[in-house]
Amino acid sequence: MIGSRSKTIVIWTFVAIALILLSAPTIVVLGASFTAGNMITFPPQGLSVKWYGAILGASDLRQAFIRSLIVSAICTVVSIPVGTLAGIALAKYKVRFEKAIQIYLLLPFTIPLIGSGIGMMLVFGNMGVLGQLWPVGIACCVINLPFMIWAVTASASNLNEDLELAAANCGAPPLQRFLYITLPAVLPGVITGSLLMFILALNEFLVSLLLVDARSVTLPVQIYNSIRSIITPDLAAISVVFIVCAGIAITLLDRLVGLDIFLKSK
Amino acid sequence: MNLSNGARESAAAQAAVSVKNVSMRYDDFYAVRDASFDVPKGKFLTILGPSGSGKTTLLRLIAGFGKPTSGEIFIGGQPVSAVPPHKRVIGMVFQKLALFPHMTAAQNVAFPLKMRRHDARTIADQVERYLELVKLGGFGSRRIHEMSGGQQQRVAIARALVFEPDLLLLDEPLAALDVKLREEMQLEFRRIQKELGVTTINVTHDQREAMVVSDEVIVMNDGLIQQRANPVTAYRTPQNAFVANFIGVTNFLEGPATSVSGNEVAFRCAGHELSGISVGSGPEIKAGMSCSGAIRAEQIRVAAAPEKLADLTFRFTGEIIDAIFEGERMVYEVNVAELGGVSFRVFDHDPIGHTQFLPGERVLVGWNPKDMHVFGNNHSPN
Ligand SMILES: Nc1ncnc2c1ncn2[C@@H]1O[C@H](COP(=O)(O)OP(=O)(O)O)[C@@H](O)[C@H]1O
Ligand SMILES: [Mg+2]
């Protein structure tokens, strides 16, 4: 038997190692972005914010970033109604083909993205819409939708079915029951799912790579293109901007619904 | 024929609710079988039965959450099977309350009015009035999870009543409360119901609650209505062994009927002939039929000396098996060897003499034939 004291020490050691491993890349990038030198190095050589000035001035990076935001917005806006309705339906009703749907919900972890990416490249290519931004948004929505559905079903399964009956008993017709009772009950899940969808689309690299051309490069692809030429600290700075975006999303989530819900959603 | 039909229909029109031959089947299982009853306007009716007896099913059919497999329900004289729940003007308090968790107490109470498109002024006034009625004035801005069980209960009542429905349905809303609060809320229900005069159907498995709050009681078991009577009648003259056993604490003696004359039966138990016993209001008993004699725990007296039981017709010796002190009374378990070793539950109120028997003591138990009821044994008690 291990004493509870030494057990605590072991557990905390593991936690510390995990935290270091998880945060090390972020810290390295953060440090490198403030370098005064012209090389990406850690620890940084001197401190300056000149690389942040540089990315502000770099119109290609800025435009790629704006394109990424548009893609994320499209992805999120499409996923909200689809994911919410699908999530509620899955939680509330005995749906046919439940097995098939469960397998679909596992897809993001099983199918290599390159596979779905190529599939969508063919579809959108045939439609002749490659090079526009909305196909990228739709593609991100399709591959990440299971996350949205999960978030919604997790809060919908807390929905006591008597609540809708009670609303009916109070005189609410079906649409009002949905709007006033069902929707607010799953709202935390919808918020969680939306932020998740937004961040995932903002970060999506592989599928974007397959679907963009020179006119519609998104930020992750733009960064990738730059790495292939020369690695300068402005890439570290733009990575920090990314991290800040994710940080804002997490903070919003915590403020709006609390992180415990986010972590609980299966 | 025509005339009597017409008379019946007008009686149904006066009833606030009228349930006619309603059955509800799930697959091949009947949750409710051929239930028929009326609830007169302004009355408080309780459906009493053990868990699984079909009470909730029946109540939900009245509320409109599902259609009966057969039969028809009339509300205010109109058949309602084609009326969806939100168009039936019925208030309901759910077993688990089903308050809307994302709304405040006042928003919960306002919801039925909002759905009925009352103007903001009326809603505010009415909500305040009903929160006042359930003694929650000033609590309107509380969130549901910030309220105690009893307060949530009151919010649910206010929500069910605020739109002044013709009918109030209560599905065991007190089951989750502790005893003291439950008893307080029972009286509260009674007070509010009297004050508003709203026809009420209450569902419970708690026989005490049924006695305390109701004008009328319907006892249900296995989806079948066993008896419909006012509380006193249901208690004093149960219709069958199930009712006798379910309401109150009842002892049963088994044996064949030896003679039947008018309203009196004699039956034999362990070689003793017990005669002059009233026939229960159930099915007819014939000589030779196996039957159960039921006698309430509080109608049996226990004493050490025979003189003390001189006024009782039946007297048997027994031995105290267990003695439980319940404050205002003693509860004895008495083994009566003379009657084949049956165990009797006896309530003994002796607030003056404080007699107390101990396990192992030999005692006499006695009762009068008029307090006993005999039922033919189609199904056994317990
Ligand atoms: N939706 C349903 N499907 C199948 N059986 C049901 C359903 N609802 C209730 N039952 C069954 O009907 C019987 C009566 O249930 P209920 O009306 O809830 O009883 P009570 O409220 O008296 O406890 C129970 O045996 C229950 O299992
Ligand atoms: Mg029930």
Side-chain angles (χ1 to χ4, degrees):
Chain A
M1 279 270 304
I2 313 173
S4 78
R5 200 187 148 72
S6 51
K7 213 194 246 165
T8 315
I9 293 173
V10 171
I11 288 171
W12 279 111
T13 312
F14 273 109
V15 170
I17 291 173
L19 284 180
I20 290 169
L21 285 177
L22 285 175
S23 57
T26 312
I27 291 167
V28 170
V29 164
L30 198 62
S33 73
F34 286 105
T35 188
N38 291 333
M39 293 280 288
I40 208 161
T41 52
F42 189 83
Q45 303 163 322
L47 279 178
S48 89
V49 291
K50 70 173 179 183
W51 294 108
Y52 287 91
I55 59 170
L56 269 184
S59 70
D60 54 343
L61 276 182
R62 206 174 54 230
Q63 275 165 8
F65 183 58
I66 290 170
R67 278 194 288 269
S68 269
L69 290 180
I70 293 173
V71 164
S72 300
I74 293 172
C75 165
T76 312
V77 165
V78 174
S79 71
I80 287 175
V82 179
T84 305
L85 294 180
I88 291 175
L90 268 182
K92 256 179 60 172
Y93 306 108
K94 277 241 154 298
V95 188
R96 286 208 281 169
F97 315 119
E98 204 167 333
K99 263 259 141 25
I101 292 169
Q102 272 164 1
I103 291 172
Y104 167 71
L105 289 178
L106 283 173
L107 279 188
F109 302 122
T110 48
I111 292 237
L113 278 182
I114 189 85
S116 22
I118 288 175
M120 274 179 289
M121 189 173 76
L122 292 175
V123 172
F124 288 127
N126 271 339
M127 291 165 67
V129 293
L130 282 184
Q132 297 179 35
L133 283 181
W134 66 264
V136 188
I138 299 290
C140 289
C141 177
V142 170
I143 57 170
N144 294 325
L145 195 62
F147 289 105
M148 181 81 189
I149 296 178
W150 267 339
V152 175
T153 36
S155 30
S157 42
N158 298 331
L159 182 71
N160 172 357
E161 63 183 301
D162 272 359
L163 286 183
E164 284 172 31
L165 295 180
N169 181 251
C170 287
L175 181 65
Q176 263 79 344
R177 299 207 278 274
F178 181 77
L179 291 179
Y180 287 106
I181 307 304
T182 316
L183 218 46
V186 299
L187 196 61
V190 175
I191 294 175
T192 307
S194 312
L195 286 168
L196 205 52
M197 292 300 283
F198 191 88
I199 288 295
L200 287 172
L202 196 65
N203 294 349
E204 181 52 49
F205 166 66
L206 199 54
V207 170
S208 305
L209 183 67
L210 293 169
L211 294 181
V212 297
D213 62 16
R215 295 161 296 160
S216 60
V217 177
T218 58
L219 189 57
V221 179
Q222 177 71 33
I223 294 175
Y224 173 72
N225 289 340
S226 313
I227 292 175
R228 285 197 302 185
S229 39
I230 36 164
I231 305 183
T232 44
D234 58 345
L235 293 181
I238 196 82
S239 304
V240 171
V241 172
F242 251 126
I243 292 167
V244 169
C245 285
I248 290 172
I250 298 287
T251 316
L252 267 181
L253 195 61
D254 191 27
R255 281 288 156 80
L256 290 174
V257 295
L259 280 181
D260 47 343
I261 279 173
F262 174 74
L263 294 172
K264 253 191 309 193
S265 29
K266 299 166 275 181
Chain B
M1 184 71 201
N2 258 342
L3 219 157
S4 86
N5 252 349
R8 210 179 306 147
E9 260 154 38
S10 82
Q14 274 169 12
V17 184
S18 177
V19 171
K20 290 233 171 5
N21 307 103
V22 164
S23 294
M24 185 67 186
R25 193 181 64 199
Y26 295 114
D27 299 327
D28 53 358
F29 169 79
Y30 276 90
V32 174
R33 280 183 279 178
D34 199 24
S36 296
F37 60 89
D38 294 337
V39 192
K41 242 182 155 61
K43 291 291 181 204
F44 196 119
L45 173 95
T46 294
I47 302 173
L48 172 66
S51 162
S53 56
K55 307 180 298 288
T56 297
T57 305
L58 196 48
L59 210 61
R60 290 185 171 225
L61 290 175
I62 297 172
F65 310 145
K67 276 205 177 82
T69 312
S70 61
E72 180 62 271
I73 294 168
F74 299 82
I75 297 175
Q78 298 302 312
V80 291
S81 38
V83 183
H86 62 275
K87 298 223 172 103
R88 303 185 181 189
V89 188
I90 298 176
M92 180 158 177
V93 180
F94 288 71
Q95 181 154 6
K96 291 182 188 140
L97 301 186
L99 293 169
F100 307 131
H102 55 285
M103 299 183 193
T104 62
Q107 285 168 338
N108 265 278
V109 179
F111 189 76
L113 299 175
K114 203 167 141 192
M115 289 302 113
R116 292 180 168 77
R117 301 180 189 286
H118 291 267
D119 62 275
R121 185 80 242 133
T122 321
I123 293 182
D125 289 348
Q126 192 80 341
V127 167
E128 183 155 338
R129 218 153 69 77
Y130 276 84
L131 283 177
E132 217 57 77
L133 177 78
V134 296
K135 300 182 177 156
L136 279 181
F139 284 87
S141 57
R142 291 273 183 100
R143 297 216 146 241
I144 297 308
H145 61 85
E146 293 165 352
M147 307 184 102
S148 71
Q151 289 171 333
Q152 294 185 0
Q153 201 74 57
R154 290 159 193 269
V155 176
I157 300 169
R159 185 181 70 181
L161 289 172
V162 71
F163 56 104
E164 294 171 353
D166 312 323
L167 178 62
L168 176 64
L169 305 178
L170 309 170
D171 188 1
E172 307 206 38
L174 302 180
L177 302 181
D178 59 76
V179 182
K180 265 223 128 65
L181 192 54
R182 186 160 68 224
E183 290 178 355
E184 188 183 307
M185 291 301 301
Q186 285 166 1
L187 298 178
E188 193 83 324
F189 271 138
R190 191 72 192 140
R191 172 182 72 82
I192 293 170
Q193 195 267 340
K194 281 262 180 295
E195 205 168 314
L196 302 178
V198 57
T199 312
T200 303
I201 303 178
N202 175 41
V203 153
T204 185
H205 63 261
D206 176 352
Q207 46 123 344
R208 217 197 91 87
E209 175 182 325
M211 300 278 128
V212 171
V213 300
S214 325
D215 296 315
E216 300 239 30
V217 177
I218 283 179
V219 183
M220 254 183 111
N221 187 36
D222 283 341
L224 273 174
I225 293 183
Q226 306 288 318
Q227 182 166 10
R228 188 244 166 105
N230 66 46
V232 177
T233 309
Y235 193 85
R236 298 242 170 99
T237 52
Q239 186 126 24
N240 58 38
F242 176 83
V243 178
N245 193 41
F246 194 72
I247 306 182
V249 175
T250 307
N251 299 290
F252 287 94
L253 290 174
E254 310 287 328
T258 48
S259 69
V260 184
S261 65
N263 266 344
E264 291 191 349
V265 197
F267 82 111
R268 200 196 327 277
C269 180
H272 294 271
E273 174 113 345
L274 306 177
S275 60
I277 298 163
S278 15
V279 179
S281 42
E284 201 185 340
I285 295 173
K286 296 193 181 70
M289 202 168 155
S290 132
C291 31
S292 305
I295 179 78
R296 301 274 188 207
E298 72 275 16
Q299 289 176 318
I300 301 178
R301 269 162 50 209
V302 55
E307 316 80 84
K308 289 206 167 169
L309 301 183
D311 54 331
L312 299 178
T313 309
F314 301 141
R315 270 165 300 170
F316 300 98
T317 54
E319 182 189 332
I320 303 278
I321 301 295
D322 201 2
I324 301 157
F325 176 64
E326 281 193 354
E328 84 279 14
R329 69 181 180 201
M330 291 295 303
V331 179
Y332 295 113
E333 196 179 330
V334 185
N335 183 291
V336 187
E338 261 189 284
L339 290 173
V342 293
S343 256
F344 272 1
R345 191 75 69 85
V346 181
F347 294 157
D348 189 32
H349 292 256
D350 184 11
I352 315 289
H354 302 296
T355 325
Q356 195 172 341
F357 299 104
L358 297 174
E361 269 185 81
R362 296 194 66 75
V363 290
L364 282 165
V365 290
W367 68 92
N368 276 324
K370 70 168 179 55
D371 295 327
M372 204 165 187
H373 294 278
V374 170
F375 307 103
N377 266 353
N378 327 332
H379 55 95
S380 66
N382 297 318

